Amino acid sequence: MNATYEEQRAELDARVSVALAMGGEAKLAQRRAGGNLNARERIDQLLDPGSFSETGMLAVSVLPADRETSPADAKITGTGRIEGRRVAVVSNDMTVKGASSSAVNMRKIGRLKETATRNGMPLIFLGESSGSRVPDSLGAEAMAAAGQDPQQYCRRRETPWVSAVLGPCLGSSTWYTCLSDFVVMRKGAFLAVSSARVTSLAIGEAVDPEELGGWKLHAEQTGLVDMVVDSDAEALAAIRRFLSYLPSHAGERPPSQPAAEAIAPDGDKLLELVPSARSKTYDMRKVIAGIVDGGSFLNLKDRFGRAAVTGLARLNGESVGIVASNPMFKGGAMDPEACRKVTSFLVMCDSFNIPIVFLVDTPGFLVGIEGERKAAPAHIMNMIHAVQLCSVPKLSVIVRKSYGQAYINMGGGRNSDEVAAWTSADASFMDPQIGVSVLHGIKREDDPERFDRLKAELARDTSAYALAGAFGVQSVIAPQQTRAWLIDALATHRRERNGGIGEHEMRSWPTYI
């Protein structure tokens, strides 16, 4: 006998209730006790209120024995809005089979990826997973079923991808994190190929989970993480903020904020932040904050490759990407880690039509055995390759010094649309002090008077005015003029003929260099 519509609706409501209950009250209470949001609470905090539309809510495990215990098959997927703009979300539910990957939930993710790409939506992964589901993934039949999507892990940067590492991340949670444009990690979370237990069994020795995949490893050594936070709430807020600088897809300009709302910092403070004496150091991050719209600088990978600074900001309401050398670390000499950091940032900015601003104060590239062992020449070439493939507007400001190949890598010459130099700028193949020793074979302690005379001869043609005289820069400016010069130059180089959309030659560049 056919069920009535009322009976059918009652069954639907019952199934929805089961899905919304996730892994049950006991497991949800355990998460609350540990101070962790559950998968649905994370979505509610991330998105604009009431905007989430779930897809695949009634999906369950492909195995008959697990169908009653796998609501939504452990991964909650759907679309919603952030500040009114549509986004796609995958939220892993650890209360259901450890959010493990399965045939069904991989279909859910695959469909959502297609939806996000086709319709121009950022894709957000709220990562926490125990990896591949066992025993479902064991055996030849399971292997044959895997890998049926030959484009599963391709990144062509059609839309921004964002990942939050909010607990143990193994399997697909790790893979999608490594493919993302922005990664925020909560302290206490974990990201690795395999768990500490599996790794320990495989190599036959004890493994510290923090050393294997903790936040310090990925923020300071691997560079996989862009930002570290203390809580789920901070991570979700960071995602909202990051996306506010980016377009929804590669075919549009980044969103603007009203210029009238932009707070201009006091340019005179730059004179205090940057000592005129080159022997004194300073923090370039403070200089950046003294140029861009007040409170707009979002520092990325701040703990990694610290001789360089990368981040997003606004100038007169417009999104820009900042690439700067930082004399606070290694004197601003670029090492392989700094080059890697800058290269991946340039790829992201160019893929999503974000203009680049270089702020330069570097003695060149760090030389030494350690750098050569890390393939420094290859990283230097990767970086300049990325700079020269960038089709977005590029502006460069030489603050104090720019020497050697780093002059080119940091947007010197025709590698930027326009270059300005502060009145304090100095540009040459190398520091005149080193040049004297190389050319004449003497050190200052050998003959101070002769050394200083030879140094003055080498230094006389390295000034901002010498560079301007050779049209190596288009403007010489006082520090206080930096913001106004950048805003005007950005207005000039908006690429109006193509609507500000770049050529995106690096859209398929590897996500980890």
Side-chain angles (χ1 to χ4, degrees):
M1 183 176 177
N2 292 333
T4 65
Y5 281 122
E6 290 78 9
E7 290 169 334
Q8 292 174 24
R9 178 57 188 263
E11 181 183 2
L12 173 60
D13 291 345
R15 289 176 181 268
V16 168
S17 295
V18 168
L20 294 176
M22 298 180 277
E25 183 53 37
K27 290 182 178 179
L28 294 173
Q30 188 177 15
R31 289 188 68 82
R32 285 194 294 271
N36 299 317
L37 298 175
N38 66 52
R40 293 186 180 279
E41 289 171 336
R42 287 169 175 165
I43 291 174
D44 289 342
Q45 283 204 18
L46 173 68
L47 302 179
D48 295 349
S51 69
F52 184 57
S53 177
E54 187 167 350
T55 179
M57 176 188 281
L58 300 183
V60 292
S61 171
V62 72
L63 298 181
D66 288 339
R67 286 175 184 167
E68 299 299 321
T69 57
S70 54
D73 204 26
K75 296 186 191 291
I76 300 165
T77 57
T79 61
R81 295 186 183 277
I82 292 179
E83 299 296 332
R85 294 195 295 160
R86 182 71 67 177
V87 298
V89 183
V90 177
S91 187
N92 286 265
D93 183 3
M94 283 293 284
T95 70
V96 175
K97 298 191 176 299
S100 53
S101 298
S102 72
V104 171
N105 63 37
M106 285 297 98
R107 288 178 206 150
K108 290 175 64 172
I109 293 176
R111 178 66 68 90
L112 191 68
K113 283 164 55 184
E114 290 176 8
T115 298
T117 299
R118 185 182 300 117
N119 297 289
M121 292 183 281
L123 180 56
I124 301 166
F125 298 94
L126 303 181
E128 190 175 19
S129 170
S130 58
S132 187
R133 190 172 298 172
V134 178
D136 306 36
S137 58
L138 299 179
E141 185 177 349
M143 284 296 95
Q148 292 302 306
D149 178 1
Q151 300 289 299
Q152 183 176 3
Y153 296 116
C154 281
R155 264 312 314 267
R156 294 185 180 85
R157 296 181 176 85
E158 297 99 332
T159 71
W161 283 17
V162 172
S163 285
V165 181
L166 301 174
C169 279
L170 305 168
S172 66
S173 286
T174 294
W175 311 146
Y176 287 124
T177 294
C178 294
L179 293 172
S180 293
D181 302 295
F182 173 70
V183 178
V184 57
M185 186 172 187
R186 195 195 69 205
K187 290 180 181 179
F190 175 88
L191 177 76
V193 174
S194 293
S195 67
R197 178 172 176 271
V198 172
T199 303
S200 179
L201 290 170
I203 66 176
E205 61 183 66
V207 174
D208 181 348
E210 282 297 314
E211 290 186 9
L212 182 66
W215 68 268
K216 283 192 174 184
L217 172 76
H218 292 308
E220 298 174 3
Q221 296 182 49
T222 70
L224 286 176
V225 168
D226 294 288
M227 185 179 294
V228 176
V229 296
D230 294 314
S231 67
D232 283 10
E234 288 179 78
L236 299 172
I239 291 172
R240 290 178 66 97
R241 186 179 178 198
F242 173 80
L243 288 175
S244 73
Y245 296 91
L246 270 71
S248 293
H249 55 83
E252 67 180 13
R253 276 185 165 135
S256 299
Q257 293 192 349
E261 296 179 7
I263 300 173
D266 182 359
D268 287 334
K269 289 187 177 179
L270 294 175
L271 304 178
E272 303 169 13
L273 292 172
V274 183
S276 58
R278 293 201 183 96
S279 59
K280 294 183 179 180
T281 190
Y282 64 93
D283 191 341
M284 183 65 85
R285 294 168 296 190
K286 295 180 180 179
V287 174
I288 295 168
I291 294 171
V292 302
D293 295 357
S296 73
F297 182 53
L298 179 64
N299 200 346
L300 303 177
K301 295 194 196 310
D302 189 40
R303 299 170 183 264
F304 178 75
R306 306 191 80 181
V309 179
T310 56
L312 297 166
R314 292 187 180 87
L315 275 167
N316 215 31
E318 301 290 337
S319 290
V320 294
I322 305 291
V323 173
S325 46
N326 193 354
M328 278 284 289
F329 302 96
K330 301 183 179 181
M334 304 282 283
D335 59 8
E337 289 79 7
C339 291
R340 278 180 45 206
K341 172 178 172 174
V342 170
T343 300
S344 62
F345 182 73
L346 291 172
V347 169
M348 182 193 73
C349 288
D350 188 69
S351 296
F352 296 112
N353 314 312
I354 301 172
I356 304 293
V357 172
F358 295 97
L359 296 173
V360 188
D361 188 349
T362 178
F365 291 104
L366 194 68
V367 296
I369 294 173
E370 182 182 356
E372 301 299 336
R373 286 175 175 169
K374 292 180 179 179
H379 291 296
I380 292 167
M381 284 296 98
N382 262 352
M383 180 181 166
I384 189 57
H385 190 194
V387 169
Q388 295 187 338
L389 284 176
C390 274
S391 55
V392 295
K394 291 173 288 184
L395 305 174
S396 185
V397 177
I398 303 173
V399 174
R400 245 183 9 182
K401 59 185 177 297
S402 186
Y403 295 150
Q405 176 68 31
Y407 166 82
I408 299 172
N409 280 52
M410 293 296 284
R414 293 298 300 276
N415 291 291
S416 290
D417 294 285
E418 282 197 57
V419 185
W422 280 14
T423 51
S424 54
D426 184 61
S428 184
F429 180 69
M430 64 176 63
D431 188 321
Q433 185 153 318
I434 297 174
V436 171
S437 297
V438 171
L439 282 175
H440 301 284
I442 67 167
K443 298 179 180 178
R444 194 174 191 282
E445 55 265 32
D446 299 332
D447 187 342
E449 185 178 342
R450 181 173 177 241
F451 184 93
D452 289 345
R453 185 178 71 253
L454 293 171
K455 178 184 173 184
E457 290 178 5
L458 287 181
R460 67 185 176 187
D461 291 328
T462 66
S463 72
Y465 301 107
L467 198 57
F471 201 51
V473 296
Q474 287 68 61
S475 303
V476 176
I477 59 176
Q480 306 97 310
Q481 296 175 296
T482 306
R483 176 180 168 86
W485 183 85
L486 287 170
I487 290 171
D488 184 67
L490 283 170
T492 298
H493 297 283
R494 280 176 56 84
R495 307 291 196 266
E496 291 294 356
R497 288 188 62 181
N498 56 10
I501 310 303
E503 296 175 13
H504 305 151
E505 289 191 81
M506 292 182 286
R507 61 188 177 276
S508 298
W509 190 291
T511 54
Y512 186 85
I513 298 101

